[in-house]
Amino acid sequence: MVVVSVRSAHRKRYALLFFSITGIIIYRHFRGQPESMPINRSKGFTANSSQFTLGGETFRILGGSLHYFRIPRAYWKDRMMKMKACGLNTLTTAVPWNLHEPEKGSFQFYGDLDLETFLLQAADLGLWVILRPGPYIGSELDLGGLPSWLLRDGKMKLRTTYPGFTQAVESFLDKLIPKVVPLQFKKGGPIIAVQLEQDYGSYASDSKYMPFLKEAFQSRGVSELLLTSDKPEGLKNGGVKGVLRALNLRTWDLKDERFLEIMQPNSPVLIMEYWTGWFDSWGNLHHCFPVEDMTASIRQIMQRGMSINLHMFHGGTNFGFMNGALQNPFYKSVITSYDYDAPLTEAGDYTPKYQMLRDLFNRYHNNPLPEVPALRWKERYETAIMYQHLSLWDALPFTHLPFKSKTPVNMENLPVNNRNGQAYGYTLYEATITTGGSLKSGNNIRDRALVFVNRTFIGTLSFKTTELTVSDGKEKRTLSFLVENCGRVYSGEAMDNQRKGIVGDILLNDVPLRDFTIHSLDMTSTFIDNLYKAPWKSLPAKPSFPGFVQGRLFVDGYPSDTFVKLPSWIKGVVFINSHNVGRYWNIGPQQALYVPGPFLNTGPNQVVVFEEEESDLKVQFEDSPDLGMSVDIQ
């Protein structure tokens, strides 16, 4: 093994240096070489005229994507061991800027975001690493992994050399890159390559941007091979001089290979993203890619001697409000599950794809593959006992202080979170009216609003529904809009226009509403913890919604993975012991949310559900997933 996993950063680097100096014996994963022998650390991963080499020896990437931020830390090693047992030698992971720097200048690299420990665990298991530090990573994340506070700048141009963007990028890289430089291959670590950006050729709005990134990484000490990753149509505009171009695709086509040869002659081929499945969005079916079709494509790629990275090998979960959204042909938000129909399921279970890949990749190893790790038990727990209720209106004193404004203010520009604005969740906008009539939102509700008059629900506004009727009345009444950020678009030109909440005027009888009181309900773990101090009431026979319902799940013995199911609830968010498990919505396809065992405690567990519309108050816990009706990807 390359390194040992120790806690402090200082001891990590000391151990890494020690093993590098002593010429440690490491695992090898390519045919024609013993699988355990000394390696030359002075020569990194390189692309010669017809083949890749690592340490001066022929090397073929058999890789898979695994996102640490979509997996509980306690399960990192389990997923890596399953990757190793499948015959893979390389792990690819992305770095989500928005999670690591949630507020400008405030960085988080601990707990489930402890990138260094994740990389050291990969090394400890004999896996090489391709690191995707972005700054944009796509990955169907909110804003493609970029922090929402960037949008406080009304002139912001993301993924360009606009000074407001590059300055923020450099500040983030100043913090990130020193953490990974000591973990590079030539310094004794597992990182053999670093990817710049993601799919930039499909966007390519600034010819100076990719050279800027190349210099930004190299000037901070990144010395391993740099690469880009694009769909075939983006190869021309997504590359940068001196950086390897890699491909993203699902079905291999000879014309794609020939086009890559034109763009990058005399070079081996790396399929950086071979799509093993696809993601899902609310209101659609669950996407599946037949194992037979996947097998045929991968065999063809392998027979042509190419390197491959399976995207995703294990998808994981969009816990909290992590999910992004699609823009074309119209707005659709990505679901909580990121199962991706990958070889490993969302909960880390094996699929027929896994077994097929293990059989295939086994042919490219001289020694037998490791034993397949045992699966973790899934538990069907008793239905949670829900016993308390808190209306949305009674929860308001436990949010951020309300903000008053003449005109609506979008989430990102609210004066909350140390003036970084609101990133995720819901925002309540309230104004006083003295008449009824036609309420028109245009395209200024982002993304969905429940509308109330004197706290009585009158309808929903969204990009589909932009007009409601308000009943007549001359007395003063409160008109309320509970607006949900359903996920920012994660790719394309629309990213610059992903401010959420109410982003422009709302008209009542063609007159703009004015004088708003705005409440930020970001629903962080701190917010949920504060709610425990609120004046909860015993659960009435017919509780009012929107509101919170609280109950308990009892766990006997060591906690197991489970799946929370809400068959007669409409739309909302589930919190288990203050962990935001994710969104649910009865339009599907997803019908159950994954709850990892590490989120649970032995004994009583606090269950809080925020429901928008109505419920039968039954919170079930099943032992199997339910991703809804499926459709095959063609």
Side-chain angles (χ1 to χ4, degrees):
M1 292 177 285
V2 183
V3 294
V4 294
S5 178
V6 289
R7 291 188 178 180
S8 77
H10 176 75
R11 290 172 62 197
K12 288 176 188 174
R13 295 189 178 99
Y14 177 82
L16 196 59
L17 177 64
F18 172 78
F19 285 116
S20 176
I21 292 173
T22 57
I24 191 71
I25 303 299
I26 58 90
Y27 291 106
R28 302 298 293 277
H29 308 273
F30 45 88
R31 185 173 292 281
Q33 295 289 342
E35 293 209 353
S36 181
M37 61 175 292
I39 192 169
N40 182 356
R41 288 279 180 172
S42 65
K43 298 179 180 180
F45 182 59
T46 59
N48 297 321
S49 60
S50 61
Q51 63 187 14
F52 290 113
T53 62
L54 181 65
E57 302 291 340
T58 301
F59 182 77
R60 185 179 198 176
I61 290 175
L62 302 178
S65 295
L66 192 72
H67 292 159
Y68 60 98
F69 51 92
R70 283 181 161 125
I71 308 167
R73 177 179 177 139
Y75 287 172
W76 287 348
K77 186 175 181 180
D78 172 80
R79 306 312 193 243
M80 292 178 190
M81 290 174 65
K82 290 170 179 173
M83 175 178 281
K84 185 87 173 176
C86 194
L88 303 186
N89 59 30
T90 304
L91 179 156
T92 295
T93 195
V95 179
W97 180 8
N98 56 346
L99 300 183
H100 284 293
E101 193 180 2
E103 296 181 5
K104 187 175 182 179
S106 177
F107 299 93
Q108 297 183 6
F109 286 94
Y110 50 84
D112 288 346
L113 294 174
D114 188 346
L115 175 61
E116 290 172 282
T117 294
F118 178 80
L119 297 175
L120 287 166
Q121 285 189 7
D124 196 42
L125 291 171
L127 287 166
W128 301 118
V129 172
I130 297 176
L131 189 67
R132 293 176 46 204
Y136 165 85
I137 61 172
S139 298
E140 291 73 56
L141 285 176
D142 184 280
L143 207 61
L146 301 178
S148 64
W149 48 259
L150 290 168
L151 298 177
R152 290 175 65 84
D153 180 349
K155 297 179 181 179
M156 177 58 64
K157 297 294 181 184
L158 303 173
R159 305 176 71 188
T160 70
T161 52
Y162 172 71
F165 184 67
T166 56
Q167 289 166 12
V169 168
E170 295 201 280
S171 176
F172 176 59
L173 295 183
D174 283 343
K175 193 72 174 182
L176 169 66
I177 299 304
K179 294 180 180 295
V180 298
V181 161
L183 300 175
Q184 294 180 105
F185 175 84
K186 283 178 280 191
K187 295 181 179 292
I191 299 173
I192 61 172
V194 175
Q195 180 180 312
L196 300 181
E197 255 270 353
Q198 172 68 25
D199 280 324
Y200 195 70
S202 300
Y203 183 68
S205 63
D206 186 339
S207 61
K208 297 179 181 179
Y209 176 60
M210 293 297 279
F212 155 74
L213 281 185
K214 177 184 175 184
E215 193 279 333
F217 279 85
Q218 291 181 333
S219 66
R220 287 169 173 80
V222 174
S223 59
E224 303 298 341
L225 180 134
L226 296 177
L227 59 89
T228 59
S229 181
D230 283 285
K231 303 179 186 70
E233 61 270 21
L235 279 174
K236 181 177 181 181
N237 295 322
V240 59
K241 186 177 180 181
V243 175
L244 180 77
R245 286 177 167 92
L247 269 171
N248 303 335
L249 48 80
R250 174 178 292 110
T251 303
W252 181 251
D253 193 319
L254 186 58
K255 74 175 187 297
D256 295 332
E257 180 181 359
R258 289 173 176 168
F259 184 57
L260 179 59
E261 288 176 351
I262 294 172
M263 298 301 305
Q264 187 170 263
N266 303 316
S267 177
V269 176
L270 167 62
I271 309 300
M272 188 57 199
E273 285 190 1
Y274 176 79
W275 304 319
T276 60
W278 206 240
F279 60 92
D280 299 329
S281 56
W282 291 112
N284 281 0
L285 299 177
H286 171 51
H287 292 93
C288 293
F289 185 38
V291 62
E292 299 82 6
D293 295 346
M294 188 189 80
T295 303
S297 290
I298 293 179
R299 278 183 176 154
Q300 189 174 15
I301 290 169
M302 298 299 292
Q303 288 167 1
R304 298 187 72 80
M306 301 169 186
S307 285
I308 187 171
N309 179 70
L310 305 173
H311 183 92
M312 299 290 297
F313 176 75
H314 170 56
T317 309
N318 292 317
F319 293 117
F321 301 119
M322 197 188 302
N323 66 279
L326 297 158
Q327 181 67 29
N328 295 317
F330 50 84
Y331 179 89
K332 279 191 176 181
S333 58
V334 175
I335 68 171
T336 295
S337 171
Y338 200 67
D339 178 86
Y340 211 84
D341 192 39
L344 279 185
T345 71
E346 178 181 13
D349 292 339
Y350 304 114
T351 69
K353 289 181 179 179
Y354 182 95
Q355 188 56 54
M356 184 284 298
L357 290 168
R358 179 175 158 87
D359 293 342
L360 176 60
F361 291 150
N362 185 48
R363 305 172 193 175
Y364 297 87
H365 292 265
N366 290 327
N367 296 334
L369 295 178
E371 291 294 323
V372 174
L375 293 178
R376 294 179 179 273
W377 181 257
K378 311 297 186 297
E379 186 67 62
R380 181 176 185 175
Y381 292 110
E382 291 186 7
T383 299
I385 302 170
M386 310 306 287
Y387 60 94
Q388 286 187 309
H389 172 260
L390 181 69
S391 75
L392 169 70
W393 320 106
D394 289 338
L396 293 181
F398 298 88
T399 67
H400 299 275
L401 290 174
F403 171 65
K404 295 185 181 297
S405 174
K406 190 77 173 176
T407 58
V409 177
N410 57 282
M411 286 186 179
E412 296 78 5
N413 286 99
L414 291 175
V416 296
N417 298 315
N418 298 314
R419 305 198 73 82
N420 284 272
Q422 181 181 343
Y424 312 108
Y426 297 76
T427 307
L428 181 69
Y429 296 80
E430 296 190 314
T432 300
I433 59 173
T434 56
T435 185
S438 176
L439 186 68
K440 297 179 181 179
S441 60
N443 191 33
N444 291 328
I445 294 290
R446 308 288 176 80
D447 300 295
R448 186 173 181 270
L450 303 181
V451 185
F452 307 84
V453 174
N454 283 352
R455 301 184 178 181
T456 298
F457 178 67
I458 65 168
T460 302
L461 293 172
S462 66
F463 73 94
K464 289 182 178 179
T465 304
T466 60
E467 187 170 354
L468 289 175
T469 298
V470 178
S471 61
D472 290 332
K474 294 183 178 180
E475 72 282 4
K476 287 186 178 181
R477 294 176 294 169
T478 301
L479 180 63
S480 304
F481 303 84
L482 180 63
V483 186
E484 179 190 9
N485 166 11
C486 296
R488 295 180 182 84
V489 168
Y490 63 84
S491 66
E493 295 180 0
M495 286 181 61
D496 288 340
N497 190 28
Q498 287 304 298
R499 293 166 185 87
K500 297 298 183 178
I502 298 181
V503 299
D505 283 334
I506 306 296
L507 307 180
L508 181 59
N509 298 325
D510 296 324
V511 178
L513 295 173
R514 289 292 181 260
D515 298 321
F516 286 87
T517 299
I518 306 172
H519 300 264
S520 172
L521 295 101
D522 47 16
M523 297 201 182
T524 61
S525 58
T526 300
F527 169 80
I528 297 300
D529 288 341
N530 286 338
L531 280 191
Y532 295 142
K533 308 168 188 175
W536 292 80
K537 298 176 182 177
S538 297
L539 195 63
K542 291 186 178 181
S544 63
F545 292 105
F548 298 85
V549 180
Q550 182 178 184
R552 285 180 183 169
L553 164 69
F554 288 90
V555 172
D556 291 327
Y558 191 80
S560 299
D561 290 1
T562 188
F563 300 86
V564 62
K565 200 165 189 177
L566 303 103
S568 296
W569 301 62
I570 304 299
K571 188 179 191 303
V573 191
V574 179
F575 303 87
I576 308 287
N577 296 328
S578 297
H579 291 282
N580 188 333
V581 175
R583 312 176 204 251
Y584 64 89
W585 198 354
N586 66 350
I587 65 173
Q590 184 172 7
Q591 301 296 322
L593 298 176
Y594 174 52
V595 182
F599 285 12
L600 300 174
N601 304 317
T602 300
N605 292 266
Q606 209 74 31
V607 179
V608 173
V609 181
F610 175 70
E611 167 59 42
E612 296 182 12
E613 299 183 38
E614 64 178 74
S615 159
D616 68 353
L617 306 177
K618 295 179 181 177
V619 180
Q620 301 173 5
F621 292 88
E622 305 291 342
D623 57 5
S624 60
D626 185 351
L627 294 175
M629 295 180 61
S630 64
V631 60
D632 285 350
I633 302 170
Q634 300 300 318

